[in-house]
Amino acid sequence: MSNYLVAMEAAWLVRDVEDIDDAIGVAVSEAGKRLNDKDKEYVEVEVGATPCPACGEPFDSAFIAANTALVGLLLEIDVFNADSEEHASRIAKSEVGGALRDVPLEVIEVVETEADEDDRDTDRSQ
């Protein structure tokens, strides 16, 4: 069993907003509040980045039309003792998706991480 860092992208809708910075702030705040309300404060939430189609430089994933914003959020969660990257992805989507119902989620990256000292000591004692 291995530990993984799973990164997901979420599409967050913010209504009645006129400024990109306000939309980003509201999206991050609302997502964080919903996660905290479900005791998922260990999920990291930040604005995602989208590459510019012309130059390739990243910019904040947010778009406003008709005072409604679509903000791309980056959510990261550590998954412990998963059988594989696919298993870690399923666990992460289940954990986060349960708190963020009706929010589209997509796993964008899964990275195997090293077990910390406590995990290694536990594994040796079993």
Side-chain angles (χ1 to χ4, degrees), residues 35-70:
L35 287 162
N36 288 342
D37 286 349
K38 297 288 186 177
D39 296 326
K40 310 283 186 209
E41 53 277 335
Y42 48 85
V43 178
E44 294 292 323
V45 180
E46 58 188 56
V47 67
T50 301
C52 172
C55 67
E57 288 294 315
F59 61 91
D60 290 341
S61 291
F63 177 77
I64 294 179
N67 290 340
T68 303
L70 177 63

Side-chain angles (χ1 to χ4, degrees), residues 96-108:
V96 174
L100 302 180
R101 296 239 179 253
D102 302 322
V103 175
L105 292 174
E106 181 180 344
V107 174
I108 56 174

Side-chain angles (χ1 to χ4, degrees), residues 12 22-36 45 73:
W12 200 274
D22 289 342
I24 290 169
V26 168
V28 170
S29 176
E30 286 179 354
K33 182 179 182 325
R34 284 177 59 183
L35 287 162
N36 288 342
V45 180
L73 296 178

